[in-house]
Amino acid sequence: MINILILPGDGIGPEIMKQSVKIIKTCICFGYNINLIYNYIGGISIDKKNNPLTDDVLNICLTSDAILLGCVGGYKWNKSFNKPEEGLLKLRKKLNLFANIRPIKCPFKNIDFLIVRELNGGIYYGKPKGFSKQIINNIPTWYSYDTEIYNEQEIIRIVKLSFNLSINRKKKITSIDKSNVLYSSKLWRKIVNYISNFYKNIKINHLFIDYATIELIKNYNNFDVIVTSNIFGDIISDQCSLLTGSLGMLPSISINNKSICLFEPCHGSAPDIAGKNISNPIGMLLSLVMMFEYLLKNKKLSNKLFYSIYKVLSFGFCTVDMINYFNNTKLVSTNEFGDLVNYYFTYD
Ligand code: IPM
Ligand code: MN
């Protein structure tokens, strides 16, 4: 029996999650022994439990085989004391999910590279951080601060993982940093170079984050495995999503040293379009593809779902965000897209 914890979260989370659940239910009909458990994270958990991630849910996470998450956040909680995003950050930290792998893949365009984003450190978690008040020019003035901090062990584990991923790919790594300015990046680069000594057959290349954004658009075919910090990984993954059509297209897996994994799309909760049945479920569905591959270790099933998604797209069906990405597109709703994918997944 495989226990999957479903955390739809906020905004478009529930509607895209529904499409993945359709596919899981089809798998159950095929005979897979999967048990789904539903719970709350983010804003909805603040509304119901006054906490973006309760200890109860954390405990369920620890006893589940995997977590499938939609997305968190929304204007509704802008002024609340608790923030939906804190639930997700706490989940990543408490489960020690230090690596977030975001495949940038589009079979139509022959795009296929990975962003390996460090997920447990850097400016997201660095202390001190906060707001404070100080007299500046005789005026009481608010200021705020965050800390970008990485220790050697944190860098070593993410860089080693990236090199290991690279062995089964094109044996080419790009490390992205800002070591011309930031001390955290200077250490990062030094460690990448040190570790590369143990992987003589893997080619290593360094780019500064500012110039990397240009290379990623102009020469994306030069990339294979990218390794970078938490904040840089967050930013370039949104940028790279456009190579595949839309921010709604990207899935991810977050891993730790044990077996529990978190699967979630890379996008946010898009509160402006939530509940309209127009959001793109592909990032969510591709997260399920990753779950079939990495959790079930079932390449046949993951390929089946991957090709069902791309079959529907190749017929021109897409949600509104992708309407100008191909010629002769046909607009469908979130639900219709999910039904079409489920149809091919079931019968093809
Ligand atoms: C992501 C998201 C999150 C992040 C937010 C929702 C906290 O943007 O997964 O990329 O910044 O990590
Ligand atoms: Mn992001």
Side-chain angles (χ1 to χ4, degrees):
M1 169 74 80
I2 295 152
N3 289 304
I4 300 175
L5 174 61
I6 305 278
L7 300 173
D10 310 319
I12 60 170
E15 64 199 60
I16 56 172
M17 184 62 84
K18 247 184 229 150
Q19 314 315 317
S20 281
V21 169
K22 280 177 196 165
I23 302 290
I24 298 175
K25 292 203 166 143
T26 299
C27 292
I28 295 172
C29 291
F30 285 163
Y32 288 90
N33 204 353
I34 301 173
N35 178 37
L36 297 182
I37 309 150
Y38 289 82
N39 221 310
Y40 304 116
I41 189 171
I44 178 125
S45 181
I46 295 175
D47 291 350
K48 297 205 183 276
K49 313 266 173 190
N50 204 22
N51 181 342
L53 181 72
T54 62
D55 288 345
D56 284 353
V57 175
L58 256 182
N59 282 330
I60 301 170
C61 289
L62 294 172
T63 55
S64 305
D65 296 298
I67 305 156
L68 195 59
L69 194 146
C71 38
V72 297
Y75 323 124
K76 189 179 166 195
W77 301 278
N78 274 354
K79 291 204 170 127
S80 90
F81 172 74
N82 288 309
K83 293 280 178 280
E85 290 78 4
E86 281 161 12
L88 181 57
L89 298 190
K90 185 170 155 195
L91 181 65
R92 289 171 176 172
K93 193 73 174 179
K94 290 275 180 189
L95 297 184
N96 230 346
L97 299 164
F98 69 88
N100 180 222
I101 303 169
R102 301 185 156 184
I104 314 293
K105 203 167 163 180
C106 178
F108 301 145
K109 284 195 167 181
N110 242 337
I111 296 175
D112 182 7
F113 61 91
L114 295 183
I115 298 173
V116 182
R117 170 188 178 191
E118 200 290 327
L119 204 62
N120 264 191
I123 200 164
Y124 272 64
Y125 297 94
K127 299 241 171 69
K129 62 162 69 228
F131 294 105
S132 207
K133 227 175 193 177
Q134 206 180 4
I135 307 291
I136 302 176
N137 301 331
N138 292 322
I139 305 164
T141 307
W142 282 105
Y143 68 97
S144 56
Y145 46 96
D146 295 277
T147 306
E148 172 76 353
I149 183 164
Y150 273 111
N151 67 47
E152 279 183 290
Q153 295 179 19
E154 288 170 327
I155 305 172
I156 289 169
R157 66 181 177 180
I158 190 79
V159 172
K160 261 171 81 178
L161 178 96
S162 309
F163 273 92
N164 288 335
L165 286 169
S166 183
I167 290 174
N168 295 319
R169 296 182 55 100
K170 292 188 190 153
K171 301 186 169 48
K172 204 161 88 180
I173 295 196
T174 307
S175 171
I176 296 179
D177 66 34
K178 186 69 185 174
S179 58
N180 50 346
V181 177
L182 304 177
Y183 279 93
S184 52
S185 284
K186 291 182 207 293
L187 183 63
W188 181 283
R189 190 174 284 218
K190 204 171 146 196
I191 288 175
V192 172
N193 284 331
Y194 177 71
I195 298 207
S196 76
N197 289 321
F198 299 93
Y199 296 85
K200 290 283 188 215
N201 58 345
I202 293 177
K203 204 170 158 278
I204 171 79
N205 183 31
H206 299 274
L207 287 179
F208 295 138
I209 179 66
D210 46 356
Y211 184 61
T213 61
I214 293 174
E215 281 294 300
L216 282 167
I217 299 299
K218 258 174 90 177
N219 297 311
Y220 51 81
N221 276 325
N222 286 345
F223 293 90
D224 188 51
V225 173
I226 295 171
V227 60
T228 192
S229 64
N230 204 341
I231 184 90
F232 293 160
D234 179 46
I235 296 167
I236 61 165
S237 52
D238 275 27
Q239 182 199 2
C240 292
S241 73
L242 286 184
L243 295 171
T244 70
S246 127
L247 183 53
M249 296 292 286
L250 295 192
S252 84
I253 174 175
S254 301
I255 56 178
N256 55 22
N257 281 328
K258 302 193 197 79
S259 60
I260 175 97
C261 304
L262 167 68
F263 299 87
E264 57 169 328
C266 297
H267 57 73
S269 61
D272 49 331
I273 59 163
K276 295 187 178 162
N277 196 20
I278 61 170
S279 58
N280 186 341
I282 297 179
M284 187 79 247
L285 287 164
L286 288 171
S287 298
L288 194 59
V289 170
M290 295 188 88
M291 181 182 283
F292 291 159
E293 185 173 347
Y294 294 98
L295 178 75
L296 306 186
K297 306 218 176 338
N298 191 333
K299 194 77 190 158
K300 216 174 127 195
L301 201 66
S302 70
N303 279 340
K304 195 173 160 72
L305 180 53
F306 185 83
Y307 288 112
S308 304
I309 295 165
Y310 276 93
K311 187 154 193 170
V312 174
L313 275 177
S314 70
F315 289 148
F317 295 111
C318 65
T319 45
V320 63
D321 53 314
M322 296 282 282
I323 209 77
N324 293 320
Y325 192 66
F326 313 102
N327 295 326
N328 303 319
T329 44
K330 302 175 200 67
L331 182 67
V332 291
S333 68
T334 311
N335 260 318
E336 286 165 333
F337 195 92
D339 286 343
L340 284 164
V341 173
N342 194 28
Y343 176 83
Y344 290 111
F345 183 71
T346 312
Y347 298 108
D348 214 17

